[in-house]
Amino acid sequence: MVRRCKTAILISGSGTNLQALIDAVGRGDLALELCVVFSNNPNAFGLERAEKAGIPTACIQHRDYPDRESFDDAVIAELDQFEPDLLVLAGFMRILSNRFVKHYKGRILNIHPALLPNYPGLNTHQRVIDAGDEWHGSTVHFVTEKLDAGPRILQGRLKVKPGETAEQLALRVQAVEHHIYPQAAGWVGSGKVEFRDGHCWVDGKQAQEPVVQSF
Ligand code: GAR
């Protein structure tokens, strides 16, 4: 039997992307085994989604720790008990310390609701509307020490509609995320996509640009 990539999912909130991953794994679409869902927020609805799916959960609150490093060390100690091959950040709203990123070097994925390198940080939907951009979307990328700047794997893009509000746009981008995150995580899990020498490699070739899908 093919060994599935043991995957830890880190969340802070609702976990709709987590649900999309749970559903895709449940359909047998991905070479992933979801070994733990971790949250820094004990009230995250995503923890209930995980329990319903029979996935182990863990929670450590950052406010119980004096600084980022000591919190991150506790998270590492917790996650490592599950021996994950891959970490998937799915709305995990914490900035990771350098030592956390180094510990899991090349094995952390994030999804960010913008067409990176445009709009790193928060409030992306409103910023796109304010700028009058034609296209918006979301990016799955490897996590490196620099926030929202690691090698990009896959982008899903859509056209901004005239008069659309940030809330309406956010919902459409979220629907795109539910397609691209399971797909990109599956690519990494199967070895189609790799992090090597600080770059993203697809089918053994170094990729200069992410794969782009229009919705
Ligand atoms: C997602 O839209 C994701 O792109 C965003 O949080 C949301 C989580 O939603 N992540 C970031 O903004 C990270 N900078 P979910 O809990 O419903 O999956």
Side-chain angles (χ1 to χ4, degrees):
M1 204 180 105
V2 181
R3 185 177 170 279
R4 292 184 181 270
C5 176
K6 287 183 77 176
T7 303
I9 304 191
L10 281 69
I11 60 163
S12 297
S14 157
T16 65
N17 279 285
L18 163 67
Q19 190 65 54
L21 285 151
I22 290 172
D23 293 345
V25 170
R27 286 193 300 269
D29 289 353
L30 307 178
L32 304 179
E33 174 198 330
L34 305 184
C35 60
V36 62
V37 171
F38 175 88
S39 178
N40 62 316
N41 167 15
N43 300 317
F45 182 61
L47 289 172
E48 286 180 40
R49 297 180 190 271
E51 276 158 24
K52 204 166 160 212
I55 303 165
T57 59
C59 178
I60 300 176
Q61 296 190 69
H62 54 274
R63 60 165 180 260
D64 291 343
Y65 290 81
D67 51 39
R68 191 178 301 285
E69 278 69 24
S70 57
F71 170 71
D72 281 6
D73 285 348
V75 178
I76 288 172
E78 180 68 35
L79 291 178
D80 279 355
Q81 294 181 41
F82 296 90
E83 302 181 337
D85 302 304
L86 182 68
L87 265 54
V88 170
L89 310 184
F92 187 60
M93 302 312 267
R94 298 280 309 161
I95 293 176
L96 303 172
S97 62
N98 285 352
R99 67 184 195 230
F100 188 96
V101 175
K102 280 203 183 87
H103 185 81
Y104 298 108
K105 189 169 171 25
R107 297 191 289 136
I108 312 177
L109 302 183
N110 184 40
I111 190 157
H112 179 75
L115 298 174
L116 291 170
N118 299 336
Y119 308 109
L122 298 174
N123 254 328
T124 57
H125 310 298
Q126 191 59 54
R127 286 155 72 201
V128 164
I129 289 173
D130 292 346
D133 289 358
E134 183 183 8
W135 290 96
H136 184 34
S138 190
T139 305
V140 181
H141 64 96
F142 286 107
V143 171
T144 56
E145 280 90 345
K146 204 164 165 222
L147 186 69
D148 295 334
R152 297 163 301 158
I153 301 167
L154 175 60
Q155 288 185 324
R157 64 175 200 165
L158 44 72
K159 277 200 169 170
V160 180
K161 291 180 181 165
E164 197 167 20
T165 65
E167 290 72 27
Q168 290 166 333
L169 190 52
L171 280 177
R172 291 204 299 130
V173 169
Q174 206 172 43
V176 168
E177 293 187 326
H178 300 162
H179 286 281
I180 64 171
Y181 214 3
Q183 190 171 11
W187 287 348
V188 175
S190 68
K192 175 183 171 70
V193 166
E194 289 173 276
F195 179 92
R196 228 193 293 160
D197 309 328
H199 296 278
C200 175
W201 294 65
V202 182
D203 295 327
K205 292 192 200 80
Q206 191 181 314
Q208 306 300 336
E209 294 295 327
V211 176
V212 179
Q213 294 174 352
S214 298
F215 289 83

